[in-house]
Amino acid sequence: MTPATGTVPAGDAAGPFLPDGVGPGRVPPGRRLVEAVSDGFVVAKRNLIKVKRVPDLLVFTTLSPIMFVLLFAYVFGSAIRVPGVNYREFLMAGIFTQTVVFGATITGMGLAEDLQKGIVDRFRSLPMSRTAVLVGRTAADVVNNVVVIVVMSVTGLLVGWRIRSSVVEALGGFLLLLVFAYALSWMMAVVGLTVRSPEVVNNASFVVIFPMTFIANTFVPSEGLPAGLRTVAEWNPVSAVSQAARELFGNTGGQPVTSDAWALHHPVIYALIWVAGILAVFVPLSVRSYQRAAGR
Amino acid sequence: MTDAVLAERLVKVYGKVRALDGLDLQVPEGRVLALLGPNGAGKTTCVRVLTTLLPPDSGRAEVAGVDVRKHPDRVRRMIGLSGQYAAVDEHLTGFENLDMIGRLYHLGRGPSRVRARDLLAQFRLEDAADRPVRTYSGGMRRRLDLAGALVARPRVLFLDEPTTGLDPRSRTDMWQVLADLVADGTTVLLTTQYLEEADRLADRIVVIDHGRVIAEGTADALKAQVGGEVIEVVVAAEKDLDEAGRLLSGVGLGAPTVEAHLRRVSVPVRAEAVASTVLIDALRRFDAAGIGLLDVGIRRPTLDDVFLTLTGHPAEQGRDGSGDSGGAARPVDSGGQDGSGVPDLPDVPGAGGRDGVAAR
């Protein structure tokens, strides 16, 4: 029996079968970082191969925003009037925001599925970086979101949406949407690793996300809401992201913000504060959940 | 000799269930140990602790001299794990699965690919290598999963119920694959519900129940303790059951099992005895006693037989029973139970008992 104390010197226990780089010794921090990045890429690649082979998920996550664009543009658009701006232009930023918020559930569902199928167990038994599965997952979901945003932009342009700002501002708007979605992905990662069932992730998030994206200025200006609800909507980060995107795309029709809420006067800053806050809380939390995650 | 795997007084409690209750284990380098026990005995929990997936509540575990709690990352570089369910990605091809694992072991891009192709050839998956795993059969998925555990040529291999859920043909295939592996000198810890599997693959068998070791030894030693083959008879008339039990306890080892609803009585024979001789001897006695029989037979011992002999309760029974009934190995004492030679057993559904352990 080997004594419990002390460490095994590198190479000592490495048998003749071990290839280079596989052994019980310590890994220097620099190499560890390189490995972590490479691990993240390997996992992201794996997730993207899956999207390629099973495009259903991508198709449906893209179809539903297209449906929303068409429904709101042609059904509600005929009844809803937003002062000073074409409703279809007003609408697009909101639908972009709603779509990326819903898109974050894919992160949770993907992790829950991996957990259920024992794939997380396999990953956890490998000497890979402890964050790679999460980094790879969330990174792949950014790629997903880019595809979805492109498809939606084209649909929007077809129904009369126009970007009326500069290229830089417009790119800034898309970037903000992606960054906000990225933060939410980490939040959903915790949900996925906790509830362990893709279906439950889907249903649970629906119950939260639907009101979250509707009690906001996504589809209608928040000014008209009853007092209590209006305050919620004004400080809802979804409103800030919608407002910021709307301004960055030049879709406000030059109308000033009538609300007194600081959040709507500084939507970009307010949205970025949320992004930072979510990441600060949920990155460590999801790493912890991952390490404790038990398959079946 | 160093132990490739060492566990000392491992404890893991889930609520009221003591999944591991002071488990001790040693697997010497290059040996194969089978952890034998029914569902819920603590086998998977044990493997999860040893493979760094689960921290124990107390106790100590080492793999190749490295503490699993203090240096999980170093342990992970030396082990391979193939779990109870094939943990392969359905949407990736067989090659992509193995290549990914190689990359995550940091073998490097080129060597990962070479290793993946080699393993696919070794596991007869070449033809399916570039097809998504979703098109694979259950047996092929298991082989791929096992190949995944071997990517980095681990010093210690953990296999959690490698053949559960496989059809008999795939199971025999898998046994051949495992036997080859074992012949290469890899240290293996495998868990199983099948005595036959443990017998075939392992040098030593550890029987566990309620998270504790209840018996340990070579397959032969275990058989000497629990008996070899089992002879069984089905009596024509129910009234003859007690007498049949008495007669069989005279020829076999330990207390016979009586399954009243099937009118069946069975008893293991001593390991050194020839079962057919014992059966003929028993038949003469039945004949002399004038007991009519509908069926007679010889079968190999199952996990249930082992449990019955070691603990006095069948494998399935232990789950809802009192916590300490399976605590320690009970000396095998033939005809020991209240004079009748018939253990005090409720009706156990026959079919489940005969195939090892029925699914719960």
Side-chain angles (χ1 to χ4, degrees):
Chain A
M1 160 189 341
T2 323
T5 51
T7 52
V8 177
D12 172 65
F17 301 117
L18 292 170
D20 288 349
V22 179
R26 292 181 190 286
V27 177
R31 178 145 155 227
R32 195 170 282 237
L33 183 67
V34 172
E35 284 179 357
V37 172
S38 143
D39 290 350
F41 268 108
V42 171
V43 175
K45 187 180 142 196
R46 170 241 170 189
N47 290 330
L48 290 174
I49 289 177
K50 183 170 170 177
V51 174
K52 196 178 78 185
R53 300 242 162 91
V54 193
D56 317 24
L57 201 59
L58 190 61
V59 168
F60 281 110
T61 47
T62 326
L63 275 183
S64 67
I66 290 177
M67 184 195 76
F68 265 94
V69 171
L70 297 178
L71 281 180
F72 274 86
Y74 291 105
V75 181
F76 293 103
S78 60
I80 300 173
R81 293 273 173 272
V82 181
V85 61
N86 176 344
Y87 181 65
R88 285 180 202 168
E89 293 203 2
F90 174 89
L91 172 72
M92 281 307 291
I95 292 189
F96 276 125
T97 310
Q98 190 204 32
T99 303
V100 297
V101 172
F102 268 103
T105 47
I106 296 175
T107 308
M109 284 167 67
L111 284 169
E113 194 184 329
D114 285 349
L115 198 57
Q116 211 174 46
K117 291 193 171 162
I119 290 172
V120 167
D121 276 358
R122 153 126 302 147
F123 283 142
R124 287 183 61 228
S125 76
L126 299 179
M128 62 191 284
S129 152
R130 283 172 297 183
T131 52
V133 169
L134 298 162
V135 169
R137 176 83 246 172
T138 50
D141 293 338
V142 171
V143 177
N144 244 337
N145 270 331
V146 170
V147 175
V148 172
I149 285 181
V150 168
V151 173
M152 282 180 61
S153 300
V154 172
T155 317
L157 291 170
L158 290 177
V159 301
W161 173 61
R162 294 291 177 270
I163 293 175
R164 300 189 190 281
S165 59
S166 65
V167 176
V168 175
E169 281 177 300
L171 287 179
F174 287 124
L175 196 64
L176 183 72
L177 286 167
L178 290 174
V179 167
F180 185 62
Y182 185 72
L184 290 178
S185 272
W186 284 91
M187 202 169 181
M188 292 309 297
V190 175
V191 176
L193 290 170
T194 311
V195 307
R196 305 158 174 214
S197 144
E199 294 78 19
V200 177
V201 174
N202 200 14
N203 295 338
S205 50
F206 203 72
V207 174
V208 177
I209 290 177
F210 228 84
M212 195 173 129
T213 56
F214 270 79
I215 306 173
N217 63 5
T218 28
F219 306 112
V220 291
S222 53
E223 283 83 355
L225 296 173
L229 219 50
R230 188 173 67 219
T231 311
V232 174
E234 283 168 346
W235 292 90
N236 184 344
V238 172
S239 295
V241 175
S242 301
Q243 179 67 26
R246 209 163 271 149
E247 289 177 6
L248 289 165
F249 295 146
N251 292 151
T252 56
Q255 297 290 310
V257 177
T258 54
S259 157
D260 295 335
W262 181 87
L264 291 182
H265 285 278
H266 305 87
V268 177
I269 295 171
Y270 184 65
L272 289 176
I273 290 173
W274 269 93
V275 167
I278 292 171
L279 289 175
V281 173
F282 286 96
V283 169
L285 210 57
S286 51
V287 171
R288 209 184 70 146
S289 305
Y290 171 75
Q291 276 172 296
R292 294 187 178 182
R296 319 196 198 200
Chain B
M1 183 160 24
T2 35
D3 286 320
V5 180
L6 175 71
E8 282 182 347
R9 298 179 304 281
L10 285 182
V11 174
K12 183 74 197 180
V13 181
Y14 292 107
K16 282 183 177 173
V17 181
R18 297 181 75 82
L20 295 179
D21 192 9
L23 188 84
D24 293 303
L25 274 185
Q26 283 131 43
V27 189
E29 188 94 52
R31 295 297 179 79
V32 182
L33 179 87
L35 214 51
L36 180 69
N39 274 331
K43 303 189 298 290
T44 298
T45 307
C46 176
V47 169
R48 291 181 68 82
V49 167
L50 292 171
T51 54
T52 76
L53 296 182
L54 188 70
D57 294 334
S58 68
R60 195 164 66 92
E62 283 179 8
V63 173
V66 180
D67 190 296
V68 299
R69 266 208 281 191
K70 287 185 197 141
H71 306 290
D73 229 52
R74 285 157 66 186
V75 170
R76 287 179 199 136
R77 266 175 270 147
M78 297 186 292
I79 61 170
L81 167 66
S82 176
Q84 218 177 110
Y85 307 91
V88 286
D89 192 318
E90 299 210 305
H91 306 296
L92 264 51
T93 64
F95 172 76
E96 286 166 342
N97 265 289
L98 297 184
D99 181 44
M100 174 180 75
I101 294 170
R103 296 297 305 278
L104 294 175
Y105 270 111
H106 310 126
L107 301 188
R109 191 186 294 263
S112 285
R113 290 184 180 165
V114 173
R115 182 72 179 141
R117 290 286 171 201
D118 285 353
L119 282 167
L120 288 163
Q122 189 186 330
F123 284 85
R124 293 182 288 114
L125 291 167
E126 280 162 306
D127 296 341
D130 298 310
R131 251 168 41 202
V133 170
R134 137 174 69 82
T135 64
Y136 285 24
S137 71
M140 289 163 78
R141 284 172 196 227
R142 277 303 177 81
R143 292 212 300 278
L144 184 65
D145 190 60
L146 179 60
L150 296 173
V151 165
R153 297 183 169 82
R155 302 180 66 190
V156 185
L157 188 59
F158 293 90
L159 306 173
D160 193 9
E161 305 205 5
T163 64
T164 295
L166 290 186
D167 60 64
R169 162 94 209 278
S170 306
R171 176 173 298 167
T172 318
D173 273 6
M174 195 66 166
W175 281 349
Q176 191 51 52
V177 169
L178 292 175
D180 292 347
L181 207 67
V182 163
D184 285 347
T186 311
T187 305
V188 180
L189 188 150
L190 69 94
T191 75
T192 180
Q193 299 187 24
Y194 307 105
L195 183 60
E196 191 187 358
E197 183 163 294
D199 187 5
R200 220 165 130 161
L201 298 171
D203 305 312
R204 265 171 66 248
I205 298 175
V206 165
V207 185
I208 69 170
D209 189 27
H210 296 293
R212 267 186 282 185
V213 175
I214 59 169
E216 183 169 7
T218 60
D220 285 343
L222 203 62
K223 277 191 195 155
Q225 204 178 353
V226 303
E229 282 117 324
V230 176
I231 62 172
E232 57 185 24
V233 301
V234 177
V235 298
E238 199 168 341
K239 66 177 170 54
D240 291 334
L241 270 176
D242 287 351
E243 180 63 13
R246 241 186 311 280
L247 286 176
L248 281 189
S249 74
V251 299
L253 175 73
T257 307
V258 179
E259 291 155 291
H261 60 303
L262 297 170
R263 275 179 279 158
R264 185 163 67 203
V265 187
S266 55
V267 73
V269 303
R270 284 179 182 75
E272 68 281 6
V274 178
S276 56
T277 312
V278 176
L279 182 60
I280 291 165
D281 180 26
L283 292 181
R284 287 202 183 96
R285 296 181 190 208
F286 280 111
D287 193 32
I291 297 176
L293 299 176
L294 289 181
D295 198 4
V296 297
I298 298 172
R299 63 176 170 84
R300 316 229 7 194
T302 64
L303 178 65
D304 254 11
D305 299 317
V306 173
F307 261 73
L308 198 54
T309 320
L310 290 174
T311 68
H313 67 75
E316 280 170 285
Q317 211 59 33
R319 305 283 69 77
D320 47 23
S322 63
D324 48 6
S325 65
R330 190 173 57 84
V332 178
D333 171 20
S334 89
Q337 307 223 335
D338 54 74
S340 69
V342 180
D344 178 22
L345 281 179
D347 283 356
V348 178
R354 290 167 66 85
D355 299 326
V357 183
R360 281 160 41 79

